[in-house]
Amino acid sequence: MKLSQFKFNLPESLLANNPAEHRDEARLMVLHKDSGKIEHKIFKDVLGYFDDQDVMILNNTKVFPARLYGNKEKTGATIEVFLLRELNKELRLWDVLVDPARKIRVGNKLYFGDDDLLVAEVVDNTTSRGRTIRFLFDGTDEEFRKNVEILGETPLPKYIKRKATAEDKERYQTIFAKHEGAVAAPTAGLHFSRELMKRLELKGVDFAEVTLHVGLGTFRPVEVEDLTKHKMDSEQFIIDQTAVDVVNKALDNKKKICAVGTTSMRAIESAVSSGRKLKAANDWTSKFIFPPYDFSIANCMITNFHTPESTLLMMVSAFGGYENVMNAYQVAVKEKYRFYSFGDAMLII
């Protein structure tokens, strides 16, 4: 398939700048992939589509406050440093993006916080905006992370044209977040409230947790018309034996297995055994899923509404059927569903 086949007109007014007042009260579009039929619901209505021993696969990655603002030595110029991933814990080496990049050179020192709570030195250039920096910090790892927590800002996507607030710290995080390492939230999971999860549990629905640390590469624009030439960034994922057992039991019993979000889907599709079962893994994946694609594990998925020409829309189209999904997106625009990270949800079943 070609990039241009995933174009559609998305009015800017439909990009959600704030979350729904209550997590489980965002709108929910239900798309039946066999018939293409569409229903309009509220998110907590997902309860009506799942039964005893069905499984939901959740991504339990935790977003850390990855956006730091500091000053460059000598000039005092303000710079933004976006922490992408830790390269070496002992040396405190990090892969980062800097802005404005042209002013940040190897050897520069960067100061963060009124009393220089953290100081870093630029040690390498990686891409035009990418740098490797080393934090010059003698305390424990726990103290270092506490300082990042104090100085860092919730890494809201750039399209949100407002400052991150204290509320975002909670709302740009799933209630089941456990393992820190993501620079963006697995947004389909943001719709789950404690009450809804309890009600699903009471219905007999099982949860399998996987971890995929979402990187910024998830949102990297596709710049080639021929999709086979697009390269995804690698993201770390972990699937333990407990999750494997829950999922494979549901596979054997022909139950519904629902991937909550494109990140959960990418993780499980990166860990398929030769017998088309889920297997335990601790690895990196750069898997790019676009139509046509034969899915091995999940038979339904929950996802948010994605932007035109995004790799996320391509994966959803592969799962729900290209015509079905592109038609559903036209309906979503017409019905003014909210798009992107804080937006509404879709259940493909």
Side-chain angles (χ1 to χ4, degrees), residues 6-262:
F6 294 92
K7 267 197 173 105
F8 66 93
N9 181 35
L10 177 60
E12 207 167 307
S13 60
L14 297 186
L15 291 175
N17 278 302
N18 295 286
E21 191 179 346
H22 301 291
R23 283 182 187 267
D24 57 15
E25 288 182 1
R27 292 167 76 190
L28 175 73
M29 179 187 284
V30 182
L31 171 62
H32 296 265
K33 57 181 176 175
D34 291 342
S35 63
K37 181 183 151 201
I38 287 170
E39 299 176 272
H40 302 287
K41 302 280 186 179
I42 299 293
F43 190 78
K44 56 185 165 192
D45 295 333
V46 292
L47 198 61
Y49 295 88
F50 294 92
D51 290 307
D52 190 33
Q53 292 178 32
D54 288 341
V55 171
M56 286 188 168
I57 301 173
L58 310 172
N59 182 4
N60 64 14
T61 187
K62 190 173 187 181
V63 180
F64 65 95
R67 190 172 275 130
L68 300 174
Y69 292 96
N71 301 97
K72 195 178 149 192
E73 65 176 331
K74 295 186 182 134
T75 66
T78 301
I79 42 105
E80 179 188 313
V81 173
F82 194 102
L83 303 175
L84 289 176
R85 62 178 174 225
E86 191 172 39
L87 300 173
N88 185 307
K89 198 185 277 260
E90 283 67 46
L91 298 175
R92 305 209 194 284
L93 283 178
W94 282 77
D95 204 1
V96 304
L97 294 176
V98 293
D99 198 17
R102 66 185 186 285
K103 295 184 175 174
I104 310 299
R105 298 192 173 90
V106 172
N108 285 161
K109 282 205 171 70
L110 311 172
Y111 296 88
F112 303 93
D114 294 339
D115 48 1
D116 301 339
L117 200 56
L118 287 176
V119 180
E121 183 182 12
V122 181
V123 295
D124 198 10
N125 292 329
T126 50
T127 61
S128 59
R129 285 183 58 217
R131 302 287 185 272
T132 301
I133 67 171
R134 180 172 65 233
F135 284 98
L136 311 173
F137 187 79
D138 293 332
T140 64
D141 191 55
E142 201 180 328
E143 289 166 335
F144 171 70
R145 287 180 189 278
K146 195 173 164 195
N147 287 353
V148 170
E149 190 70 36
I150 291 166
L151 296 169
E153 200 177 81
T154 303
L156 295 180
K158 280 285 193 192
Y159 82 90
I160 293 178
K161 305 282 190 267
R162 62 173 176 79
K163 291 289 280 178
T165 64
E167 191 201 18
D168 291 320
K169 209 162 222 177
E170 185 223 337
R171 291 302 306 271
Y172 196 60
Q173 194 83 270
T174 65
I175 61 166
F176 41 80
K178 286 189 182 77
H179 303 297
E180 196 168 84
V183 299
T187 55
L190 296 177
H191 301 294
F192 286 83
S193 64
R194 283 187 171 77
E195 186 198 9
L196 177 59
M197 288 191 72
K198 194 77 209 155
R199 291 173 72 192
L200 285 162
E201 249 173 65
L202 290 171
K203 238 186 147 179
V205 174
D206 289 320
F207 296 104
E209 294 189 9
V210 301
T211 306
L212 182 138
H213 292 314
V214 190
L216 280 187
T218 296
F219 310 109
R220 190 186 298 289
V222 181
E223 289 166 344
V224 285
E225 179 66 3
D226 177 355
L227 299 185
T228 60
K229 301 222 167 20
H230 177 70
K231 296 266 186 296
M232 293 286 280
D233 287 13
S234 277
E235 293 172 318
Q236 187 185 18
F237 75 102
I238 301 154
I239 300 174
D240 65 21
Q241 195 58 45
T242 310
V244 167
D245 293 343
V246 170
V247 170
N248 286 343
K249 182 181 162 199
L251 266 176
D252 289 341
N253 294 334
K254 301 201 167 19
K255 295 292 180 182
K256 285 197 188 93
I257 299 171
C258 183
V260 176
T262 55

Side-chain angles (χ1 to χ4, degrees), residues 187-189 191 302-306 316 329 340-346:
T187 55
H191 301 294
I302 291 170
T303 183
N304 277 25
F305 286 94
H306 306 293
V316 173
Y329 267 56
Y340 217 35
S341 302
F342 279 143
D344 294 317
M346 176 190 260

